[in-house]
Amino acid sequence: MLPLRILGTIAVTLSASTAFGASAQAQDAASQSGPGISFELGAAGRLSPSYFGSSDMVLSPVPLIRLKRLELPNGFVIGGGSDQGFSLSPSFGVVGKRSAKDSPELAGLNTIDTAYEFGLAAKYRAGQFRVQGALRRGFGGHEGIRGELGADYIVQPDDKWTVYGGPRLDFADSTFANTYFGVTPAEASPRFAATTVGGGLISAGLEGGLRYQMDEYWAIEAGASWDRLVGDAADSPITAQGSKNQYSVEFGILRRFDIGF
């Protein structure tokens, strides 16, 4: 799973591998067999910067949605098998509105409306190692392309605990970068010089987390991340009002549901 952890972003992750065939994959112990759907619903609280480059932290609610298995009567199966190997999944994110009303230090900059991101995520796991990535296109507040790459070392000491951690890279095209780190000539002021930002690597950092499976249906998750803005994003006059170092902490609870068709 790629948690959408960065700077005021709310993420809904649908995580599942895809298989085609007349027979289902081996199912998780907690899931049903035969046609049906298994998914997790939950909510988390996230403490994170109020906007990209901010040093002010805000607490926001985060919905958690995880598709674990979908089997149709015709034999089409999504998920339900081992976490090992290669898998694809949809990736969806929301970047909250940015305005000087909420952040007075941004006075003179245009308000950026809420952005909705849609795309695709992929991961490959071999043993205790996992590499993953996502690519999404924005609509609304920004219309750029945003991507994430990461790797994890995963430890599962028993059937209840899972702990992971590893490096993260975040990148974007110039449309996204200029939306959140650029300053147009019309916005320019003594505080904010007119700035054009190029695309590429936006930040690099680390992320870690854990999951505790309380019983067959309920689980608790927690995570934390640190990102360091780099390149043009780090040099932006918007970042100069806050910090190049971006931190987030998240804690949530989920419940699994199994529904047969």
Side-chain angles (χ1 to χ4, degrees):
M1 178 191 73
L2 280 175
L4 293 146
R5 52 193 162 57
I6 306 176
L7 321 174
T9 301
I10 296 176
V12 179
T13 302
L14 304 178
S15 179
S17 58
T18 303
F20 298 86
S23 62
Q25 295 178 349
Q27 306 300 317
D28 296 330
S31 66
Q32 296 178 332
S33 60
I37 185 171
S38 298
F39 58 94
E40 292 180 336
L41 290 179
R46 173 181 293 144
L47 186 65
S48 61
S50 57
Y51 59 86
F52 292 96
S54 175
S55 58
D56 294 330
M57 306 287 282
V58 295
L59 182 63
S60 304
V62 180
L64 301 175
I65 304 174
R66 311 270 178 74
L67 175 62
K68 306 299 290 183
R69 181 188 69 96
L70 173 64
E71 181 180 348
L72 302 181
N74 64 3
F76 174 80
V77 180
I78 298 176
S82 169
D83 284 338
Q84 299 293 318
F86 179 78
S87 65
L88 293 172
S89 66
S91 180
F92 168 67
V94 181
V95 182
K97 179 179 179 179
R98 192 191 79 182
S99 72
K101 180 180 179 180
D102 299 321
S103 302
E105 69 274 16
L106 300 179
L109 299 184
N110 295 331
T111 295
I112 302 175
D113 292 331
T114 300
Y116 302 91
E117 300 175 339
F118 301 90
L120 190 67
K123 70 177 180 178
Y124 179 80
R125 180 171 174 179
Q128 293 176 274
F129 294 93
R130 176 176 64 198
V131 293
Q132 54 205 7
L135 195 64
R136 298 186 299 277
R137 204 272 194 187
F139 299 88
H142 82 83
E143 298 188 353
I145 304 296
R146 180 181 176 193
E148 300 156 3
L149 290 173
D152 288 316
Y153 182 72
I154 303 169
V155 177
Q156 295 174 290
D158 54 38
D159 59 356
K160 291 185 177 294
W161 286 96
T162 301
V163 182
Y164 71 89
R168 297 291 187 269
L169 297 174
D170 297 285
F171 55 92
D173 67 2
S174 59
T175 300
F176 176 94
N178 276 294
T179 299
Y180 294 101
F181 297 101
V183 179
T184 67
E187 295 174 306
S189 67
R191 174 179 290 184
F192 298 107
T195 303
T196 299
V197 182
L201 185 64
I202 298 295
S203 69
L206 298 170
E207 181 179 324
L210 59 85
R211 176 183 172 108
Y212 178 70
Q213 193 70 40
M214 294 184 286
D215 57 27
E216 183 178 350
Y217 296 104
W218 290 93
I220 294 173
E221 293 186 347
S225 69
W226 162 74
D227 293 285
R228 174 79 174 184
L229 296 175
V230 300
D232 288 349
D235 296 335
S236 167
I238 295 173
T239 302
Q241 306 304 312
S243 174
K244 298 177 184 179
N245 293 304
Q246 306 283 282
Y247 303 93
S248 70
V249 179
E250 181 174 312
F251 180 86
I253 187 169
L254 302 99
R255 189 190 191 282
R256 181 173 182 134
F257 296 88
D258 299 295
I259 302 173
F261 296 156

